[in-house]
């Protein structure tokens, strides 16, 4: 018996591989999520979606960027979770499978995947072609949809 995932809603957008694009990804993800679920912007679920989206988008513009190429944000509302996907143009630069140790306290980066692991139920990376990779995370939604 195979398990089927039912998608109830989907939102996708291409954004520039800049800090502004990453900020927009976070803001638009939260806006879309709150519209779908009817929760306030400052709810725990909306904050988790914001944080995971921000980290995935920041990694895309920092480690997955090629000049002149955009990244794609895709949100899927599943029955018990929201799936956040960020696709960039550097398939050869895969994230480490497990973020095992936090970055030293005096550094300003290096904690993103630890945060994704803390706030997402599942996350991973998929390479489907020679030009892109998609890093995804699923954040549980404990409200009735």
């Amino acid at each position: 018996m195979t398990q089927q995932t039912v998608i109830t809603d989907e939102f996708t957008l291409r954004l520039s591989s800049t800090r502004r694009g990453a900020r927009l990804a976070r803001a638009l993800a939260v806006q879309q999520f709150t519209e779908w679920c009817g929760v306030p912007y400052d709810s725990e679920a909306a904050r988790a979606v914001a944080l995971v989206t921000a980290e995935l988008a920041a990694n895309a513009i920092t480690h997955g960027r090629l000049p002149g190429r955009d990244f794609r944000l895709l949100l899927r509302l599943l029955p018990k979770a929201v799936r956040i996907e960020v696709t960039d143009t550097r398939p050869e630069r895969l994230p480490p499978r497990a973020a095992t140790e936090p970055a030293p306290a005096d550094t300003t980066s290096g904690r993103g995947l630890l945060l994704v692991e803390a706030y997402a139920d599942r996350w991973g990376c998929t390479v489907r072609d020679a030009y892109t990779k998609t890093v995804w995370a699923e954040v549980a939604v404990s409200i009735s949809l």
Side-chain angles (χ1 to χ4, degrees):
M1 182 171 156
T2 61
Q3 181 181 14
Q4 259 187 324
T5 302
V6 178
I7 299 172
T8 57
D9 284 303
E10 188 172 285
F11 171 83
T12 188
L13 187 63
R14 287 177 56 149
L15 297 158
S16 65
S17 291
T18 62
R19 287 204 225 145
R20 182 175 185 269
R23 284 192 309 271
L24 277 170
R26 175 187 168 138
L28 294 170
V30 172
Q31 180 180 346
Q32 186 62 54
F33 175 73
T34 59
E35 283 183 26
W36 279 339
C37 300
V39 298
Y41 274 67
D42 62 348
S43 69
E44 188 174 321
R47 283 192 298 257
V49 168
L51 185 119
V52 170
T53 303
E55 293 304 332
L56 296 182
N59 283 346
I61 67 163
T62 303
H63 306 293
R65 181 176 183 262
L66 283 175
R69 302 287 304 270
D70 297 335
F71 73 93
R72 183 184 65 157
L73 170 68
L74 179 119
L75 301 175
R76 285 189 177 122
L77 184 61
L78 305 173
K80 295 185 180 184
V82 62
R83 183 176 173 107
I84 304 155
E85 296 184 6
V86 174
T87 301
D88 66 47
T89 56
R90 297 296 298 268
E92 76 281 3
R93 293 184 128 185
L94 299 177
R97 184 57 206 133
T100 55
E101 294 182 24
D106 60 344
T107 63
T108 59
S109 64
R111 296 171 188 83
L113 292 178
L114 286 171
L115 292 171
V116 170
E117 282 187 6
Y119 284 90
D121 288 349
R122 301 179 332 134
W123 75 276
C125 181
T126 306
V127 176
R128 291 194 176 100
D129 59 43
Y131 307 104
T132 61
K133 78 169 175 294
T134 300
V135 182
W136 57 270
E138 292 181 1
V139 176
V141 178
S142 60
I143 57 174
S144 50
L145 300 174

